Amino acid sequence: MIHTHYDKVGNPIINERTNYGKKLKRAAEEWRTTFDSMPYGVMLLDREFNIIKTNDYISELTGIPIKELIGKKCYKVIHGTNKPIEVCPLLKTKKVSGTESCEYYDARFNKHFKGYVTSVLDKEGLFQRYIISHIDITESKESEKKLIDSRDAFLNMLKDRDL
């Protein structure tokens, strides 16, 4: 039980524990603001692909409030599937520590993504959590396609000219 102490004129004296609590709360709020301002999706998952934490990007992408995302399978939320997609880097990361990545197209969102998974190990070196990032690379993919189409058109024009 915390007792409030007062000075000689009746003002409460803020103790060290109260100050520490306020600092922790402010740090958590700053972290949440930082996490939510990222221009890509981030999720913290447990070993069974359940979402522990996520940011606003994932909520906006899926149209599901953050509170409803917690505890759901990431592949169900992101891909609309009942199991991880074939290129899921988490399938590789569960076997080795470090970061794995993949690129994939998601027809539900009509977007190309680069996905990164980083494993978080406990003190004994066991996999406990995974950090997943989903970065929208649609613009880059579209630019790349235009470049390839232009190159192919140019090469075809050269072939036609040589005939």
Side-chain angles (χ1 to χ4, degrees), residues 8 46 53 59 63 74 103 128 130 147 161:
K8 291 179 183 176
D46 66 16
K53 291 186 189 296
S59 177
C74 66
E103 287 186 15
Q128 291 300 312
Y130 301 91
L147 207 60
R161 188 167 185 267

Side-chain angles (χ1 to χ4, degrees), residues 72-129:
K72 297 216 183 313
K73 302 287 186 195
C74 66
Y75 48 80
K76 186 95 170 154
V77 168
I78 298 297
H79 308 294
T81 60
N82 290 322
K83 63 180 184 175
I85 61 173
E86 191 174 311
V87 297
C88 177
L90 182 53
L91 297 174
K92 293 179 197 169
T93 308
K94 282 185 155 225
K95 297 176 184 130
V96 293
S97 63
T99 300
E100 292 288 335
S101 66
C102 72
E103 287 186 15
Y104 66 93
Y105 174 75
D106 196 307
R108 290 180 347 141
F109 306 118
N110 193 28
K111 292 179 182 280
H112 292 270
F113 290 96
K114 178 91 176 191
Y116 293 93
V117 175
T118 303
S119 53
V120 179
L121 307 177
D122 65 12
K123 292 176 186 174
E124 288 78 41
L126 301 173
F127 300 107
Q128 291 300 312
R129 307 232 188 285

Side-chain angles (χ1 to χ4, degrees), residues 39-41 57 111-114 134-140:
Y40 50 87
Y57 182 97
K111 292 179 182 280
H112 292 270
F113 290 96
K114 178 91 176 191
H134 294 276
I135 301 171
D136 183 350
I137 58 169
T138 304
E139 283 184 34
S140 297

Side-chain angles (χ1 to χ4, degrees), residues 5-100:
H5 299 283
Y6 298 91
D7 64 14
K8 291 179 183 176
V9 288
N11 296 318
I13 298 172
I14 299 174
N15 63 28
E16 200 173 309
R17 192 178 207 177
T18 303
N19 279 336
Y20 185 71
K22 287 180 181 179
K23 286 179 183 177
L24 276 176
K25 186 176 180 182
R26 186 170 53 247
E29 288 169 356
E30 288 172 355
W31 178 243
R32 172 49 76 185
T33 300
T34 301
F35 195 53
D36 284 338
S37 69
M38 293 178 178
Y40 50 87
V42 180
M43 295 184 291
L44 178 64
L45 306 179
D46 66 16
R47 291 185 290 189
E48 283 75 42
F49 298 85
N50 297 309
I51 299 170
I52 298 169
K53 291 186 189 296
T54 188
N55 66 351
D56 282 346
Y57 182 97
I58 297 294
S59 177
E60 290 169 15
L61 178 70
T62 61
I64 302 170
I66 286 179
K67 288 182 179 183
E68 291 179 29
L69 289 169
I70 307 307
K72 297 216 183 313
K73 302 287 186 195
C74 66
Y75 48 80
K76 186 95 170 154
V77 168
I78 298 297
H79 308 294
T81 60
N82 290 322
K83 63 180 184 175
I85 61 173
E86 191 174 311
V87 297
C88 177
L90 182 53
L91 297 174
K92 293 179 197 169
T93 308
K94 282 185 155 225
K95 297 176 184 130
V96 293
S97 63
T99 300
E100 292 288 335

